[in-house]
Structure formats: structure tokens, C-alpha cells
Amino acid sequence: MEDTLSSLPEPWLFNLRSSKQFIGFAVFVTTFADGFLYGIVVAVLPFSLTIRFGVPEVDVPFWTSTSLIVFGLAMTLGAPIAGWIVGKCERSQIPFLAGLLCAFGSTLFFMFGWAPWMIIVARVFQGLSAGVVYTAGLTLLVNTIESHELGPWIGFGLSGMNFGVLVSPTLGGIIYEKTGFYPVFIMSLAVIAINLVLILLIIDKKAAAKYHDHVSRTRPISSNGSSPRSAVANGKRRLSRVEDGDATVTTSLLVYCRESPEPAATEATWWTVVGGFLSSPRILTALYASLINVVLVSAMDAVLPIFVKQTFHWLSGATGAIFLNLTIPSLMGPFIGMLSDRYGVRFVAAIGFIFAGVATILLALVRHNTATNHIMACVLLLFVGIGLNASLTPLATEIPRIVKDLQDERPDIYGHKSAVAEGYMLLDAMFGAGTVLGPFLSGVACDYIGWTGCTIMLGVLSFSAIVPIVLYLKPHIEAS
């Protein structure tokens, strides 16, 4: 079997498919697909509920918010499953394929549904898909990219989601308005198909290492005159250093022998790892701030289309276009990652929440159908988008760093196997919980204290993330 594997020809476009650029692009497209499918529904649902599903106009806010809440619950419940799958699967493609299967089912339910309950089922599948996408995608990036380059690449990966949300409301709204219901979701299925091709093409770091290992075993040691001598010399150096007590150069066997008296120190259960994470103020801070970020995003998704429709009396195309102001800053993702690597997560994330909080509170001034209010809404939403993107990328980049520090400090609790998947599983769960809380809180606030009270409440929530960020997150300022 070993000979068969080692004799296989090099995979087609091996260097490209195993490169960090191709893998990063595949993750970008995966998060783009998730954001695209999510944004399509945000733009189309308020209109299709009345026209296609026969929901009375007065019940549209209820079904819109309920669908978002169900999406968030499914994402929250699916995140632990995704974390377990990512940790167990040898091949990175398997979790992605599971997520794409859920996305495909969700799109079919949206496309062929005839009753409001089918919208809920579709949102469940969509939430499960999102629960897999971010856990698997971000873990794959961490396993592929060097630590000093992680910020920009995490920013690039997450910007796919934001870019999907950026183009889908406008594109979906226009296509729905011009060509009808079905073409919107045919376009969504095409996005899933493109994503599927890219995922099947990637060769992750583990698979690439196995191939190189097979190739190296088949090469003659004496392929050039210096190889045998070098091998002997290297063996002598390695042996002498081990005999001298140098613990930095050991074989895996020696490591195992030295650590075998304490097997518990090398293995940790899923519950032990997650429980240890939840006792860390640093990781709790990153998770809480990420939760608040997603609460603000999903709250805007829930109330902004309805507010614009009722206040500005815009159709679906214009309603979707206003989200451009909220999501255009997502293009800054890689740049935000570079800033956070250079100036520190604490500084960049805190500034982001200040921007988002101030701009959200000032949205209370938008109350009338005038040109001035239209311009004011667009400018303020642009600043909200800048703040939200400036805070999320540094927080997502910080998760693997916190995980590494925790594992280095307490290997007896966390074990020696990387627990990045479990860290991103918790982050993904926060994404889901935020998607539940955002529509719920904004819906209740709009019903009882109106648009003004809702925007002030969301602004205060944004400010609430700043205090723990300043207290517990490390600056990580790059040495000059």
C-alpha cells in the first residue's frame, strides 16, 4: 500500500492547490457564499412574504425576525457539532462539504417553498451551514498561514462573508424586482456550485505533507555524493546533542518516552478544553465582543429594511442598496488585519466599537423621508460598517493566539494537540447567539421604545464591549 501511494504522480496543479493563496481564496469564496445566501434572503424576504407566501403586511416583521432567530439558534447549536467534526476529520473538505449540503437544501426550501414554515426550515439548514463554514474555514487558515501573517489572511477570509452580504441585497433586490423570484435562487445555487469546485480542489497542509513524505521515502538516500555522508553527520550531531541533554532536538519517539508517565498531560477531552477556555478572561472577552458585533449586524438586518420601507417608501432594489453603505467597509478586512497585527488588537477593536457606537446612536436622528435624512442614513451606516469591520477581524485573529497561550501555560488541562477548532467553535457559537439576540432585542426595542430607543440601545451595547477589551486583551504591538 505504501509503495502504491508513493508511486502516485504529483496531483494536478499540486503547488497551486496546496498554496496559501489558493486555500485563502477558497475560504474567502466559502464565507462569501454564506454571506451571499444570507443577504439574498434579507433583501427579498420582506417582499416575497406578502406576494408569494400570502403573509399579511402586519405580520412581516414577525416572520422576518423569527427567521433570523431560527437561523442564529441553528448556527449556535451546529457550532459544537462543527467543532467536533473539524477536530476529528483527516480531510479538510469533509466539513465544508457538509456545510455546502446544508446550504443547498436551504436554497431549495427557499426556492420551492409555499408556506411560511418552509422559510423557517430553510433558515435552520442555512444556520447549520454557517455553523460549519466559519469553524472549518478559520481553522484551515490558522493551520495554513504563518502566525505573523495571520491578521491579513483572517481579514481576507472574513471579508468574503461581508462582501457576500455587500453585493447580495443589491443584486438580489434588483433581480427580484426585474425578473422575479426563481432567478434569485438559481443565482444562489450557482454560487454554491462554484464553492463546491474550489473546496474539492484544495490540498490542505496535512495532505501536502503526506505526499511529500511519500515522495521523500522513495528517493535514494545516495542520489548525490554528499547525501550518505550528510545523513551520517546529521545522525551524529543529533545523537551527540541528545546525549548532552539538549531537549530542543528530539525525535517524536523520545518525546513520547519522556512524556509517557503523564498521559493525561498530552490528551484532553473536548469538555476539558472548552471548560478551560470558558474560564479564561481573555477568551471570554474576545467572545463577548464578537457577540456584540454580530448583535449589531443582525439587528440592522432585522430592522433596517422595514424602517427604510416604512419611512423612505423604497422598493426592494433601493432597500437592498442602502446595505452597501453598511458593508462596503468589509473590503478593508485585510488592511484591518495588518493594522491589528501592527498596533494591537486592543487598540483597533476598541476604536472600531467606538465608531460603531457613536454612528448607531446618531441614526436616531434619521426619522423623515427627506433628502437630508437619506444622505445622513447612508453616511452613518458607512461609519457603522467601518466600526464593525474594524472590531471583528482583530477579534477573530486573536482567538488562535489566546488558544496557543493557554495551551502553553497549562498543557495538563488543554493537552498538546492544537485546540484552534474548539476556539473557533466557540466564536461560531457567538455568531449564532448574536444572530438570535440582535433581531429579538431590536424588534422588542422598536415595538416599545421606537426607532430612536432602538438605535440608542444598540449604541450602548457597542460601548459595553470596550471596557473588557481594554482590561483583558493584550496589545500585541509589533516590535519596531
Side-chain angles (χ1 to χ4, degrees):
M1 182 64 179
E2 193 74 29
D3 292 338
T4 302
L5 288 171
S6 61
S7 64
L8 288 175
E10 183 175 89
W12 177 65
L13 297 176
F14 175 80
N15 291 331
L16 172 65
R17 292 165 58 191
S18 61
S19 67
K20 64 183 179 182
Q21 290 82 5
F22 186 82
I23 292 174
F25 179 69
V27 173
F28 172 89
V29 173
T30 301
T31 60
F32 170 83
D34 178 77
F36 187 87
L37 299 177
Y38 178 85
I40 281 284
V41 178
V42 168
V44 171
L45 195 59
F47 301 91
S48 63
L49 277 171
T50 55
I51 297 173
R52 180 177 176 83
F53 296 97
V55 174
E57 187 73 29
V58 69
D59 293 333
V60 167
F62 167 79
W63 284 105
T64 301
S65 296
T66 300
S67 70
L68 287 172
I69 290 171
V70 168
F71 169 86
L73 285 174
M75 188 175 179
T76 304
L77 296 175
I81 301 173
W84 184 84
I85 292 174
V86 172
K88 294 293 183 181
C89 285
E90 286 293 322
R91 297 189 62 188
S92 297
Q93 284 95 337
I94 294 176
F96 285 110
L97 293 177
L100 288 175
L101 181 62
C102 289
F104 182 77
S106 169
T107 305
L108 291 182
F109 268 95
F110 276 122
M111 188 173 180
F112 297 111
W114 63 85
W117 66 266
M118 299 189 76
I119 295 292
I120 302 303
V121 174
R123 280 297 202 187
V124 169
F125 280 109
Q126 195 175 45
L128 292 175
S129 173
V132 175
V133 162
Y134 298 103
T135 301
L138 295 177
T139 301
L140 179 60
L141 280 181
V142 172
N143 292 336
T144 304
I145 308 299
E146 296 295 330
S147 177
H148 64 278
E149 297 180 309
L150 197 54
W153 281 100
I154 291 289
F156 178 67
L158 288 177
S159 68
M161 169 191 67
N162 295 319
F163 190 59
V165 176
L166 166 69
V167 300
S168 56
T170 304
L171 194 59
I174 293 173
I175 290 179
Y176 178 73
E177 194 174 313
K178 301 296 182 182
T179 63
F181 184 80
Y182 288 108
V184 173
F185 293 99
I186 292 173
M187 176 176 60
S188 300
L189 291 174
V191 170
I192 295 173
I194 294 171
N195 193 188
L196 174 64
V197 171
L198 286 173
I199 291 302
L200 291 175
L201 285 176
I202 64 172
I203 300 174
D204 62 23
K205 194 172 183 179
K206 186 182 295 185
K210 287 181 179 179
Y211 173 79
H212 283 305
D213 184 50
H214 290 314
V215 171
S216 65
R217 290 178 186 176
T218 60
R219 288 176 180 166
I221 296 177
S222 58
S223 57
N224 58 65
S226 62
S227 292
R229 186 175 300 173
S230 299
V232 173
N234 289 336
K236 288 181 178 179
R237 282 197 296 269
R238 200 173 284 128
L239 179 60
S240 64
R241 294 180 69 178
V242 170
E243 289 174 346
D244 290 340
D246 187 349
T248 61
V249 181
T250 60
T251 64
S252 57
L253 178 59
L254 287 174
V255 172
Y256 174 79
C257 291
R258 289 181 179 183
E259 295 179 353
S260 58
E262 297 177 346
T266 59
E267 294 294 336
T269 66
W270 186 89
W271 291 105
T272 302
V273 171
V274 173
F277 286 169
L278 295 179
S279 65
S280 165
R282 282 180 65 197
I283 205 163
L284 287 177
T285 295
L287 293 175
Y288 173 74
S290 300
L291 172 69
I292 296 302
N293 182 289
V294 180
V295 164
L296 296 177
V297 172
S298 59
M300 290 293 176
D301 289 340
V303 300
L304 188 59
I306 297 170
F307 173 79
V308 167
K309 183 180 178 183
Q310 294 176 348
T311 305
F312 297 161
H313 308 295
W314 289 353
L315 298 177
S316 61
T319 301
I322 201 170
F323 278 91
L324 290 172
N325 304 283
L326 191 63
T327 52
I328 277 178
S330 64
L331 302 177
M332 300 167 54
F335 176 68
I336 295 295
M338 293 173 60
L339 288 180
S340 67
D341 281 351
R342 182 169 182 82
Y343 297 105
V345 172
R346 178 194 298 172
F347 175 76
V348 176
I351 292 296
F353 279 112
I354 290 172
F355 263 75
V358 171
T360 303
I361 289 175
L362 291 177
L363 279 172
L365 301 176
V366 179
R367 305 188 62 175
H368 305 289
N369 187 20
T370 64
T372 302
N373 275 237
H374 297 169
I375 295 172
M376 188 185 304
C378 291
V379 172
L380 290 174
L381 287 173
L382 183 66
F383 280 106
V384 172
I386 291 173
L388 293 176
N389 284 280
S391 56
L392 182 59
T393 296
L395 292 170
T397 307
E398 184 74 351
I399 293 292
R401 292 170 178 162
I402 298 174
V403 169
K404 182 181 183 301
D405 289 346
L406 291 175
Q407 289 191 265
D408 290 344
E409 292 169 6
R410 296 295 304 274
D412 56 317
I413 293 179
Y414 303 106
H416 296 291
K417 183 181 177 182
S418 175
V420 170
E422 286 80 359
Y424 277 132
M425 174 208 74
L426 293 174
L427 180 67
D428 212 4
M430 291 302 101
F431 286 173
T435 309
V436 174
L437 289 174
F440 174 75
L441 293 176
S442 60
V444 171
C446 281
D447 288 342
Y448 289 96
I449 54 179
W451 170 254
T452 299
C454 178
T455 56
I456 293 174
M457 176 203 69
L458 294 175
V460 171
L461 280 177
S462 181
F463 292 141
S464 73
I466 298 172
V467 175
I469 285 175
V470 172
L471 289 177
Y472 295 112
L473 293 188
K474 293 182 178 180
H476 286 296
I477 296 178
E478 184 179 74
S480 57

